[in-house]
Every structure is written in C-alpha cells, then in structure tokens.
Amino acid sequence: MGNLLKSEWYKLTHDRSFWVLIFILIGFAFAYPLMLQSAVGVSGNDFYRGYVLSINTDIVRLFPAILAGFFISSEYSMGTMKSIASSGNSRIRLYFAKLMVFSIGCAIIMLILPIFMQGASVIFHGGSTMPDWSFYLKTIGLIALYAIAFASIMAFFATILTDSGKAIAFLILFIALANSLLEYIGAKISFLEPIISHSIFMTQPSILMIDQIVQWSGEDVLTYIGVPIITFIIFGILGSLLYRKKEIK
Amino acid sequence: MNEYILKTNQLSKKYQDKMALNKVDLSIKKGSIYGFIGQNGAGKSTLIRLITGLAFPTDGSFELFGETNEREINEARKRIGTIIEGPALYPNMTAVQNLEAHRLLKGIPGKECVGKTLALVGLQNTGKKKAKNFSLGMKQRLGLAIALLGDPEFLILDEPINGLDPMGVVEIRELLKKLNQEYGITILISSHILSELHLLATHYGIIHHGELLEQLTAQELNEKGQHYLHIKVDNSDKCASVIESKLATNNFEVMPDGVIKLYEFVDVPGEVSQALTKEGLVIEQFMPMGEDLETYFTKRIGGVQHG
C-alpha cells in the first residue's frame, strides 16, 4: 500500500490542474482582501464567516470537481489506468490509494482560503479580522473532514464516468444542485428527511455558524464529525467495489 | 518447473451479443517470442485484456506462471510488463517522471533503474521535454521503457512498433531479440506489420473472429510455406484469362496491386512466361517465391480475392 500511496502522491504533486487550482486560490486569497472596502469595521468571527468561509462554502467547494476530472477520470481517458490495473496490485488497494491522495488534495484546496485569505486579511486589515481561535480551528478541522467526505463521493462518480470532461461537468452540477435536489426529495419522501437533513450536503453550510454551538451535544458530534466519516467510508467501499468489478477500456 | 508462461483453457469473452473470444486454447512457452496475428476486432486485444486483468472472462480459465487461483494470478502480474493498445503515458510529465510514477507504482526500490531503462530504449537525453511533445516513435519507446521497468519475465506488447520510423523499428526489433535471447524474457507481441513479426517471432498464433485458428512455430511456418510464381504484367485481367485458358488452371490469386500469385507451374516457369509473351503481355516481374507470413495469414483467414 505504501508504494501505491507514494505513486499517487507523486502524480498529484505533478498534476498541473492541482497546481493551477492552488495558484488561483492563493492569488485570490491575497488579492481579494486588498480590494475589500466594505470589510472595514467588520471584525472577528463575522469577518471570517462573511468574507472567507462563505466564499469557500459557496464557490470553492466546486473546485475539487476539476481535480477529480483530471486526477481520477483522466487516468481512464489517457490509458494509464490500464497499466495501473494490470500492475498486479489489488484493485481495492489501488482504489483506496487513489481516494486517500485525492482526499488530501481536496482538503488542501478547501483549506487555502481559510488559511491564506484569513492570513492576508490580518496583514492588510489588522488583527481585528482574526476570529476566535476556537472557532477558527474547529472550522479548519471540519472543512478538512467535509473535504474528504465530498472527495469520496466525487471519486465514486469520477470512476463511473471515466472521462475528465464529463466528470467535471457532472460533478460541478451535482455538487451545485445537490442541496436543492435533496431538499425537494426530503419534502416529498418524509422518511428520508432525517437522513437528508443530516447529510454532508445539508450540514456543510452550517460550518459557518459552528461558533454558535456553545456546548457540543452527542447529536452535533454525530452530525458534524460522524456523518462525514461515515460518508467517506460508505462511498469509499462503494467506489472500491465498483472499481473491483470494472472492466478497464 | 512449468514449461509454459501462459496457458488458456477454453477462454471466452462475450460482449452483449458478440462473442469476442470463443473457447481459445492458447499456450506460450517460456523463452519464446509469440507473434499474435489477427485482423482488427479479431480478439487479440480482448485476450490481452483478460490476461492482464483489465477485463474478466465470461467462460474458461487461464494459467499464468503456473498459477490458476485469481489472487495468485494477480500477484503473478507483477512479473509482467505491458503495452496495451498504445503506450500509457502521463502527457504533462517528462520521460523520467513517467518512469518514476510507474517505478513507485510497481514498488521497485532505487531510482537508478529509471535512467538505466531509459538508456535501454534510447530516451536518456530527453531532459525536460514533456511526453505530450514526443513523437509517436518516442512515445512507443517510452511505453516500452515503462513495460521494461522491474525486469519483467513476460512482456505483453500490443502493437509496439506502430509509428516508429524504419530505424526505430530495427532498433526495437533488436532490443526485443536481445531481451529474449540474453535475459530470457518471454514476449507476446501483436502487430499488424507481419513482415516485421516474421523477423522476430519464434511462435505464431492466428486468431480470427474470436477463434484461435492455429498455433505454429516459425519452423513449421517455413515448412508450410507454399511456393508460387510471382507475376506482374502490364494487364493483370488479361494475364488471368491467359492463365485460365492457355495453362488450364485457376489455382492462382490476383492481389490488390495487380500481382498474380500462380501456385502451379513453379517447376516449369518457362512454360508460363512463354504463354504470356505469346499473348502479347509485357512481363514486368516474374520470379518464384516462397510464402511469407502475410500470405499465409491471408490464406488462413480465407484469402483476399480470386481471379
């Protein structure tokens, strides 16, 4: 497994789309706070929530779809998946090595704004824009956790689609519209409503308000920590079973 | 010790209604160069895909390095190097980076094998040039280098000389011969360039419409090589009718380029040339020939056209 992880990590660090996404986000992270005039007077948690986390939750969460297309699906279209699958390694291990490294890539992308943009904001607008450490660290942890959960879902669909263009288009639309779609389904099929309302799609926006939970209940822990982990495991298993039975063209 | 690297037993693969591979019994001896011949869609790639684990058989089984259990067969695949339907490259990586990614995948210790393998295929000086900017021939060589990483005992090469210039074809042929003779690597090679395969293979398998028609050694092919008269005249239609009427035989073929292959009168060519010139035909080429792999293959799968 170690050699598979090293191989995938090597490919991720040589993946142009990964670096393009990182540079775009870092560039934005430094440029946007410079242009912010309306932020004057907004401080602490509200600044972080309103100017950093909201952009991350609404827009940046779509970016891993691009990485999924180039890092996973393109292996099929380039033909490199043939040499991976015929390498004599177990398909389950191959899939999980890919998923784990892809998840790390997604977490890196999702953490750029909270780290660099918040850092740039402190430099440009002063320490008053810095949120409470407790709130900040909780969001960093949850963003990484949700990133790997979404990565697991994206890897599953990228394995089905096997074409980078199709995978990127589908995943962007899916991630963008999933909330509305799930809300609609939840309203129509009542017994699914509790599952849907606790899904990572519905709870991810609540990370912005996580500072308002003073005392974490068991349900909060399950919702914000348990569900992303369970999602990662379930889609990881589904994806690996799919890949195990998949004929590579 | 097992004499065979690969043995298939009634191996079949069905895609929806199409039988891509039908009860194939193929065997590849250790140390041989097995030329796998067939038209597009004959089932060559399907068989290769089954052996390499990219697809799964509908029926039948196979033995790889003597292993029959699915898990052990997969483990045995670590001893194989492959090029399947073209070289598998990362276009934005250099040759070294491509090999490094595959070295890590195969778990080969030490980076020195990367430079050594690149030198073996003549790609040691490609520097920072990305694989996407390589010529087709260079891509084929890089694909071969990837297949050779980790000193495989069995090479499976699907069309490895496609796109190579004449010098490149010779170099790859010599390299494959060297790998086979000096290192004892068994090679399964499929190619459309039958003349090239003829210079390389020690064994042949002919596949057609998913069925293995025949397996034979190079020696058997030479023995079976039927002799004929190669005739090229200014008017092939007239020549055909002259042969039929004056020589009273229809045991000949008119090839697409107008060449006529006459399978009789090989011992008395003067009789033929006399009959043709007497009818006013201008003879451009006239010589006795042995049957090459291409001719044998064409006849084996049902011929081309008959005059």
Side-chain angles (χ1 to χ4, degrees):
Chain A
M1 189 72 174
N3 63 306
L4 301 181
L5 287 169
K6 279 182 196 166
S7 173
E8 291 301 334
W9 180 250
Y10 185 84
K11 285 188 278 182
L12 180 70
T13 55
H14 287 79
D15 190 306
R16 212 162 53 166
S17 67
F18 180 59
W19 288 108
V20 168
L21 291 174
I22 285 180
F23 286 130
I24 288 173
L25 287 169
I26 289 179
F28 179 79
F30 281 94
Y32 189 66
L34 269 179
M35 295 183 285
L36 273 180
Q37 297 301 320
S38 57
V40 178
V42 182
S43 60
N45 292 3
D46 289 336
F47 176 87
Y48 180 55
R49 186 177 6 251
Y51 293 99
V52 182
L53 286 184
S54 60
I55 297 171
N56 218 40
T57 309
D58 295 341
I59 299 166
V60 182
R61 73 168 179 159
L62 302 176
F63 281 34
I66 298 168
L67 186 64
F70 285 107
F71 186 63
I72 301 174
S73 299
S74 70
E75 294 263 25
Y76 293 89
S77 42
M78 290 186 304
T80 44
M81 189 50 84
K82 282 185 266 191
S83 58
I84 296 173
S86 64
S87 64
N89 291 292
S90 132
R91 289 252 189 133
I92 304 280
R93 284 183 185 178
L94 286 169
Y95 185 83
F96 273 102
K98 189 83 165 169
L99 173 60
M100 283 160 82
V101 173
F102 173 62
S103 300
I104 293 169
C106 290
I108 291 171
I109 288 170
M110 292 300 295
L111 287 173
I112 287 174
L113 289 197
I115 293 172
F116 287 94
M117 195 167 153
Q118 185 56 47
S121 300
V122 170
I123 294 167
F124 301 140
H125 298 288
S128 63
T129 58
M130 189 65 197
D132 296 338
W133 277 105
S134 156
F135 177 40
Y136 184 67
L137 292 177
K138 274 179 199 161
T139 60
I140 293 287
L142 288 176
I143 286 167
L145 195 57
Y146 273 72
I148 65 161
F150 276 106
S152 189
I153 295 173
M154 289 188 187
F156 174 75
F157 286 111
T159 305
I160 293 176
L161 292 165
T162 69
D163 174 279
S164 47
K166 278 184 202 162
I168 292 168
F170 172 80
L171 287 172
I172 287 177
L173 278 174
F174 178 71
I175 300 293
L177 301 176
N179 286 36
S180 316
L181 190 70
L182 288 173
E183 263 174 26
Y184 177 78
I185 294 170
K188 292 280 174 196
I189 309 168
S190 56
F191 73 92
L192 287 178
E193 201 279 328
I195 299 170
I196 287 171
S197 63
H198 286 83
S199 72
I200 57 168
F201 294 97
M202 308 307 276
T203 57
Q204 192 198 30
S206 315
I207 295 174
L208 272 74
M209 313 299 284
I210 212 77
D211 57 333
Q212 287 168 19
I213 302 175
V214 183
Q215 187 75 38
W216 281 60
S217 66
E219 193 189 339
D220 291 330
V221 173
L222 179 70
T223 305
Y224 292 106
I225 297 171
V227 172
I229 291 172
I230 291 166
T231 305
F232 177 81
I233 293 169
I234 288 174
F235 276 91
I237 291 170
L238 284 176
S240 66
L241 292 177
L242 172 80
Y243 181 64
R244 189 165 167 254
K245 293 285 171 199
K246 192 174 181 67
E247 298 210 341
I248 315 289
K249 295 203 171 86
Chain B
M1 210 170 97
N2 203 323
E3 192 190 353
Y4 293 97
I5 291 271
L6 173 70
K7 265 180 119 167
T8 69
N9 176 30
Q10 299 281 292
L11 196 61
S12 303
K13 178 69 184 176
K14 195 174 181 183
Y15 288 112
Q16 290 164 342
D17 291 337
K18 199 196 166 210
M19 208 68 190
L21 214 59
N22 193 10
K23 296 179 179 171
V24 168
D25 288 320
L26 172 146
S27 48
I28 299 180
K29 267 190 175 172
K30 197 172 180 186
S32 64
I33 300 180
Y34 191 96
F36 201 28
I37 311 164
Q39 292 172 301
N40 284 338
K44 301 188 300 287
S45 295
T46 302
L47 185 120
I48 288 173
R49 285 159 45 76
L50 293 182
I51 304 306
T52 50
L54 301 182
F56 310 105
T58 313
D59 207 0
S61 60
F62 65 92
E63 219 176 87
L64 186 64
F65 292 102
E67 306 291 357
T68 49
N69 174 286
E70 196 185 326
R71 186 185 287 259
E72 283 157 359
I73 284 176
N74 199 40
E75 194 62 29
R77 289 192 180 109
K78 289 181 178 164
R79 297 156 72 182
I80 298 180
T82 57
I83 297 183
I84 306 162
E85 295 162 339
L89 312 174
Y90 295 101
N92 288 315
M93 288 190 193
T94 65
V96 170
Q97 289 168 343
N98 262 286
L99 255 68
E100 180 62 10
H102 283 89
R103 181 187 74 80
L104 293 167
L105 171 71
K106 292 182 180 183
I108 303 164
K111 285 186 176 183
E112 58 280 358
C113 64
V114 169
K116 207 179 86 182
T117 314
L118 281 178
L120 200 62
V121 297
L123 286 180
Q124 66 274 39
N125 297 320
T126 51
K128 290 185 176 174
K129 191 173 183 175
K130 290 187 162 54
K132 67 180 175 190
N133 298 323
F134 281 14
S135 68
L136 194 53
M138 288 167 79
K139 285 179 182 168
Q140 288 284 18
R141 284 160 194 261
L142 185 53
L144 189 57
I146 291 168
L148 288 172
L149 265 181
D151 303 324
E153 293 164 60
F154 184 26
L155 272 179
I156 297 179
L157 308 174
D158 195 3
E159 301 290 351
I161 50 175
N162 265 8
L164 291 177
D165 56 35
M167 275 309 292
V169 170
V170 175
E171 283 172 26
I172 295 297
R173 184 206 310 149
E174 293 309 313
L175 173 63
L176 293 179
K177 273 187 179 171
K178 185 179 163 186
L179 291 169
N180 175 254
Q181 286 161 9
E182 292 182 20
Y183 301 95
I185 298 176
T186 308
I187 301 171
L188 165 62
I189 178 169
S190 86
S191 174
H192 284 100
I193 309 169
L194 299 188
S195 55
E196 197 47 45
L197 215 51
H198 204 178
L199 296 172
L200 195 63
T202 58
H203 293 70
Y204 298 99
I206 298 174
I207 190 165
H208 190 53
H209 291 322
E211 291 185 14
L212 189 68
L213 297 182
E214 189 176 10
Q215 291 193 105
L216 71 169
T217 65
Q219 197 184 341
E220 283 167 342
L221 177 72
N222 289 336
E223 283 166 9
K224 283 190 177 188
Q226 198 182 339
H227 288 270
Y228 63 90
L229 285 176
H230 169 104
I231 304 166
K232 179 118 169 87
V233 293
D234 57 340
N235 184 340
S236 56
D237 288 343
K238 190 177 173 188
C239 182
S241 67
V242 169
I243 292 171
E244 275 181 339
S245 60
K246 302 293 175 189
L247 300 173
T249 179
N250 59 7
N251 191 9
F252 66 90
E253 279 181 300
V254 182
M255 307 311 287
D257 60 355
V259 165
I260 291 179
K261 292 181 174 180
L262 176 60
Y263 297 104
E264 289 182 22
F265 300 93
V266 182
D267 298 332
V268 282
E271 217 173 291
V272 179
S273 61
Q274 200 179 9
L276 299 181
T277 46
K278 206 171 172 181
E279 292 300 317
L281 287 161
V282 178
I283 297 175
E284 292 165 3
Q285 292 169 7
F286 189 88
M287 62 198 111
M289 300 273 275
E291 203 169 55
D292 59 7
L293 178 60
E294 198 170 288
T295 317
Y296 185 77
F297 168 69
T298 311
K299 280 173 71 94
R300 198 67 185 78
I301 64 165
V304 276
Q305 56 170 296
H306 194 270

